[in-house]
Amino acid sequence: MAGVAGVNDFQWCFSQVKGAIDEDVAEADIISTVEFNHSGELLATGDKGGRVVIFQHEQECKNRPNLRGEYNVYSTFQSHEPEFDYLKSLEIEEKINKIRWLPQQNSAHFLLSTNDKTIKLWKIGERDKRAEGYNLKDEDGRLRDPFRITSLRVPVLMPMDLMVEASPRRVFANAHTYHINSISVNSDHQTYLSADDLRINLWHLEITDRSFNIVDIKPANMEELTEVITAAECHPNQCNVFVYSSSKGTIRLCDMRTAALCDSHTKFFEEPEDPSSRSFFSEIISSISDVKFSHSGRYMMTRDYLSVKVWDLNMENRPVETYQVHEYLRSKLCSLYENDCIFDKFECCWNGSDSAIMTGSYNNFFRMFDRNTRKDITLEASRESSKPRATLKPRKVSTGGKRKKDEISVDSLDFNKKILHTAWHPKENVIAVAATNNLYIFQDKIN
Amino acid sequence: MFPKGTKRKFSDSGDEPAAGGEDVNQPSSVAVRMLSSYSLQRQSLLDMSLIKLQLCHMLVEPNLCRSVLIANTVRQIQEEMTQDGTWQIMTQALSAANAAAQCSADRLVATEVLCRQTEATQGEQVLKPFPAVGSEGCPAEEEEEVVVEEEGEGGPQPPTCQAPLAWTPAGKRKMDSRTAEQVFGTFEIKNPAPSPDPALEELFSDVDASYYDLDTVLTGMQSAPKMGPYDLLESLSSHGPSPLSSSTSCRSDLNELDHIMEIIVGS
């Protein structure tokens, strides 16, 4: 499937936008994670207020086969509440850091959602039948007086309006001293890993009171701490393999068969630094904010501040592909350090066929790179281009002195409008882009 | 501001690696300007980083990754400045200036705040506003940073809160360990809480108690009361310079605290 708009007949167009239009954005409404499930039928978002909203893809209309169905709200629930750590006298934010879907095994859907400290397994199930005719209670639930019952009847299942219920099935708590940044479901569908700044734990989905610590990079003396874990992911096919990235721009691949504690890696991925571009910010911009395996499991992608890199798992000394996301920011690093934007953690994602990758930028821009044609495109998630089926116009940031028409200069970029979270449908050309409190859904134009 | 004479000496030091690799002993004016500009930029980056590290402690939940990255940047700058010899020069310049500094009670208060912060936060959340307000009055403050150096063999210096400006430059220390401990120590509960500091309690006695968690009050203000930075400053100044008898709890690394303060004042 084609991935990127460009010379081909393929173009991205607006489909939907979810969220309030107000200028005043409530902090709790800021979307903090976006994830399609494995079939693409469901799209989950988590926000800073600890809520999860799940959208479902409506079936396409039979009348209009060219029109893709829309995503409508399927379920909303409060996943995490704010907590207070009495020992440290610190608040624990309810912000949902990550959502990961479990592969579907029955009619219900399961997902893992996590905040800084606690992971929860949620079951989202449908109920469209109700039992009526109980013996011991009335239709409204009140208990009947047993002495009044003179006959017995068998309850009958009657249809009812569809009700989607979300219930927490497991709570995995108290295993992380530091802030959880990643969760990843293993390909064995029985275990998953959770990673915080210094440790990675392996859990069994059925067991909540125990987890195995598989990586621990905490130094004996915290004063010697110079590196933290920034992201981790399980290999999509090999259930014994996982990777984790660090704040120093390195990725370690570990095999759980080698040792119980995977402090020593099996593979170590690092690109040698370019000495000509070294600055005081070199380390900060090399810090990896996201790591994602390709669907095939042959490659992995890492996102650092200015670029996206694709690595072949068989080659550790450098990436096979490097894509510049917003190189024009390299001369602005000092200002970005001052306003803390340099610490923004952008995510990245693959399309279903691994032929294209996508990541976000500032000014509500997001970028897509086609790995085959090497073409790239910059698009914007804005209300202005939110007319139904409107084709998205490519955007460009002018770097030189002359600014062409329709280009935007680097100094005019809005650094408060950042797209950190994006997701690509696993099978179709449908993408979800989170812009602060709004969720934009774009799809390809079917000609 | 750094006296002009010292600056000239700075750039003529001869052991500074020029940005363009030129011979520093006979620098062209352009090279000198480049060097100074680079040094100033580096200095301001260092100041900014130290400020960020200090401000980290005001947040509800400090971000460890960010703190580590900033701390590494500070370390990098320090190392480069040490190699330059810049570090040594500033150390000497500052000690000379310190001796002549007309120190005000503000600075004493500011230092003492940092002292208390040190003793009270054995790995706990540190709330300390940046005592910039109190320290701005000192005119003789240098812009350049104070060296954080200490003799290794003497062991920790005897804590001397009474002389916040007198510090002893000594051997090399890679990173301000006090800062490091403050930054990373907050993420661990390392030691049991020390006994409540009566002066500290007095400081907060007129603050609305319902503002705090009961545990916080009982443990003698170990944790962040979640006041704004300037609220605390106001309460501090109203109490004036508190007795410095808490010196016994002040850590030996007073020079580190002092140098942080110099940054604050200098900037």
Side-chain angles (χ1 to χ4, degrees):
Chain A
M1 93 191 176
V4 176
V7 185
N8 312 332
D9 53 358
F10 181 78
Q11 284 190 311
W12 288 100
C13 57
F14 171 81
S15 173
Q16 295 170 274
V17 60
K18 308 282 188 194
I21 312 177
D22 304 336
E23 282 301 317
D24 249 348
V25 178
E27 175 127 356
D29 293 336
I30 296 175
I31 299 170
S32 51
T33 184
V34 184
E35 187 83 357
F36 280 99
N37 75 338
H38 295 275
S39 65
E41 183 208 352
L42 298 178
L43 174 61
T45 61
D47 64 22
K48 275 195 166 185
R51 291 164 302 201
V52 172
V53 180
I54 301 177
F55 301 92
Q56 184 186 40
H57 199 186
E58 297 294 332
Q59 295 300 328
E60 278 110 28
C61 284
K62 290 196 172 60
N63 305 339
R64 301 160 75 183
N66 286 344
L67 196 64
R68 252 192 246 282
E70 287 197 335
Y71 279 87
N72 296 319
V73 177
Y74 179 65
S75 173
T76 305
F77 56 92
Q78 185 78 33
S79 171
H80 287 72
E81 299 275 1
E83 288 171 42
F84 195 78
D85 181 337
Y86 290 97
L87 206 56
K88 293 191 201 174
S89 288
L90 292 174
E91 270 183 22
I92 299 171
E93 278 190 320
E94 67 274 29
K95 170 169 79 95
I96 308 294
N97 291 338
K98 284 285 180 337
I99 289 175
R100 290 287 182 263
W101 290 92
L102 266 58
Q104 193 173 7
Q105 289 173 327
N106 53 37
S107 60
H109 300 275
F110 288 86
L111 61 78
L112 288 170
S113 72
T114 184
N115 68 348
D116 284 338
K117 298 285 184 182
T118 305
I119 306 137
K120 294 188 184 180
L121 176 69
W122 286 88
K123 174 183 174 186
I124 298 102
E126 290 184 6
R127 188 195 291 254
D128 61 355
K129 294 183 196 48
R130 176 180 69 207
E132 285 179 18
Y134 283 102
N135 291 294
L136 292 178
K137 56 181 181 184
D138 287 339
E139 293 312 317
D140 50 6
R142 277 181 310 184
L143 291 175
R144 290 171 68 187
D145 189 355
F147 294 109
R148 296 273 170 86
I149 301 171
T150 53
S151 64
L152 285 178
R153 53 187 175 167
V154 177
V156 177
L157 287 177
M158 302 293 290
M160 61 180 253
D161 290 338
L162 178 66
M163 197 164 70
V164 180
E165 298 173 311
S167 56
R169 307 300 282 182
R170 307 268 186 279
V171 177
F172 305 91
N174 303 320
H176 286 280
T177 309
Y178 305 97
H179 293 183
I180 297 174
N181 52 54
S182 312
I183 47 174
S184 180
V185 183
N186 208 344
S187 53
D188 63 8
H189 301 173
Q190 289 185 345
T191 58
Y192 74 95
L193 63 75
S194 60
D196 66 28
D197 294 316
L198 297 178
R199 298 192 177 99
I200 301 181
N201 293 332
L202 184 70
W203 301 82
H204 191 284
L205 285 164
E206 300 290 331
I207 299 168
T208 59
D209 60 355
R210 239 179 311 152
S211 73
F212 290 103
N213 176 242
I214 52 177
V215 173
D216 188 341
I217 64 167
K218 178 171 175 287
N221 184 357
M222 278 294 270
E223 289 174 14
E224 293 163 8
L225 180 66
T226 58
E227 192 174 10
V228 298
I229 297 169
T230 52
E233 198 179 43
C234 291
H235 192 278
N237 308 324
Q238 299 166 29
C239 57
N240 53 298
V241 171
F242 66 96
V243 292
Y244 67 94
S245 59
S246 82
S247 57
K248 287 199 172 172
T250 64
I251 309 102
R252 288 170 177 80
L253 184 144
C254 301
D255 187 334
M256 289 190 268
R257 296 173 301 187
T258 55
L261 191 60
C262 300
D263 275 358
S264 61
H265 49 263
T266 303
K267 294 195 187 191
F268 182 77
F269 298 84
E270 187 179 27
E271 181 170 28
E273 197 185 357
D274 176 12
S276 66
S277 64
R278 172 138 191 85
S279 74
F280 286 119
F281 305 109
S282 294
E283 185 183 316
I284 299 178
I285 62 170
S286 74
S287 172
I288 291 172
S289 51
D290 194 16
V291 64
K292 290 265 171 47
F293 279 106
S294 65
H295 292 91
S296 62
R298 165 118 188 256
Y299 299 97
M300 68 176 176
M301 164 168 59
T302 58
R303 174 73 156 97
D304 51 72
Y305 190 63
L306 295 179
S307 67
V308 183
K309 296 178 181 172
V310 175
W311 302 77
D312 185 325
L313 292 188
N314 298 319
M315 187 161 75
E316 299 170 50
N317 58 355
R318 61 179 172 82
V320 289
E321 294 153 30
T322 302
Y323 301 94
Q324 301 301 332
V325 181
H326 36 218
E327 182 69 12
Y328 46 79
L329 296 183
R330 193 179 286 273
S331 56
K332 309 279 178 193
L333 290 179
C334 199
S335 316
L336 294 165
Y337 180 72
E338 195 173 5
N339 63 16
D340 269 4
C341 282
I342 208 174
F343 300 107
D344 286 335
K345 293 194 188 302
F346 292 94
E347 292 174 9
C348 52
C349 60
W350 298 86
N351 71 344
S353 62
D354 298 337
S355 64
I357 57 184
M358 170 169 62
T359 188
S361 178
Y362 293 104
N363 209 69
N364 277 355
F365 288 172
F366 58 100
R367 303 260 285 140
M368 283 193 258
F369 304 93
D370 188 316
R371 295 178 63 213
N372 300 326
T373 64
R374 292 305 172 118
K375 290 198 192 307
D376 63 90
I377 190 168
T378 306
L379 299 172
E380 183 180 358
S382 72
R383 290 277 171 176
E384 284 75 40
S385 54
S386 301
K387 299 176 189 49
R389 320 276 319 146
T391 307
L392 292 182
K393 202 176 62 172
R395 306 284 287 152
K396 194 150 161 50
V397 177
S398 73
T399 47
K402 265 191 195 170
R403 187 176 73 87
K404 296 198 189 76
K405 191 172 92 89
D406 285 350
E407 282 186 4
I408 182 166
S409 74
V410 182
D411 300 310
S412 313
L413 294 173
D414 188 343
F415 289 95
N416 291 320
K417 291 188 181 167
K418 48 193 92 169
I419 290 182
L420 304 173
H421 313 286
T422 60
W424 206 314
H425 190 290
K427 296 184 172 61
E428 294 171 5
N429 281 327
V430 177
I431 55 176
V433 173
T436 317
N437 64 325
N438 291 135
L439 182 73
Y440 287 83
I441 300 173
F442 302 108
Q443 58 191 41
D444 62 345
K445 184 171 243 150
I446 306 171
N447 293 318
Chain B
M1 289 297 292
F2 219 98
K4 272 193 179 157
T6 314
K7 226 180 209 166
R8 197 165 293 129
K9 174 186 162 190
F10 186 99
S11 55
D12 284 347
S13 63
D15 52 357
E16 256 185 328
E22 298 174 294
D23 183 355
V24 196
N25 290 327
Q26 291 178 1
S28 66
S29 58
V30 171
V32 169
R33 277 200 297 279
M34 270 172 61
L35 285 172
S36 304
S37 153
Y38 174 77
S39 302
L40 281 172
Q41 282 174 21
R42 182 175 61 184
Q43 183 59 49
S44 78
L45 183 60
L46 182 59
D47 295 348
M48 204 194 311
S49 305
L50 287 168
I51 291 170
K52 281 184 187 296
L53 281 176
Q54 287 297 306
L55 286 177
C56 269
H57 299 297
M58 291 206 234
L59 297 176
V60 174
E61 284 269 48
N63 183 334
L64 184 61
C65 181
R66 179 176 173 273
S67 304
V68 166
L69 288 173
I70 299 172
N72 289 351
T73 308
V74 168
R75 197 180 283 118
Q76 232 186 313
I77 298 175
Q78 274 186 344
E79 280 174 9
E80 190 180 288
M81 287 173 101
T82 308
Q83 282 167 13
D84 283 0
T86 317
W87 210 240
Q88 198 64 27
I89 294 166
M90 285 193 299
T91 305
Q92 293 160 3
L94 190 62
S95 63
N98 277 345
Q102 46 220 329
C103 199
S104 62
D106 293 2
R107 288 198 66 192
L108 286 173
V109 169
T111 313
E112 200 248 349
V113 165
L114 291 170
C115 279
R116 290 177 182 285
Q117 161 191 354
T118 316
E119 99 201 31
T121 57
Q122 302 267 343
E124 312 283 332
Q125 169 72 0
V126 177
L127 160 90
K128 256 357 159 212
F130 210 53
V133 171
S135 306
E136 266 163 12
C138 280
E141 295 316 322
E142 295 77 5
E143 208 172 4
E144 309 301 323
E145 188 195 343
V146 171
V147 172
V148 180
E149 291 176 335
E150 199 176 79
E151 290 294 352
E153 67 272 18
Q157 273 213 344
T160 49
C161 270
Q162 289 87 355
L165 303 180
W167 52 271
T168 314
K172 205 162 151 171
R173 180 180 288 254
K174 275 267 176 199
M175 164 76 180
D176 174 6
S177 73
R178 207 354 146 214
T179 308
E181 189 179 323
Q182 285 167 356
V183 170
F184 306 133
T186 57
F187 299 98
E188 294 280 328
I189 309 291
K190 291 198 296 212
N191 304 319
S195 55
D197 188 327
L200 205 55
E201 276 183 25
E202 183 210 335
L203 209 56
F204 290 107
S205 61
D206 51 359
V207 182
D208 184 9
S210 64
Y211 204 85
Y212 311 110
D213 183 282
L214 186 63
D215 295 338
T216 311
V217 172
L218 292 174
T219 52
M221 306 310 299
Q222 289 304 315
S223 55
K226 294 194 179 65
M227 292 162 76
Y230 300 108
D231 299 334
L232 185 54
L233 270 174
E234 277 160 26
S235 60
L236 278 176
S237 52
S238 66
H239 282 82
S242 307
L244 302 173
S245 55
S246 48
S247 58
T248 48
S249 324
C250 262
R251 287 314 182 83
S252 60
D253 308 336
L254 186 55
N255 14 345
E256 276 81 29
L257 300 175
D258 203 45
H259 101 76
I260 291 169
M261 199 180 57
E262 294 302 335
I263 305 305
I264 297 157
V265 171
S267 58

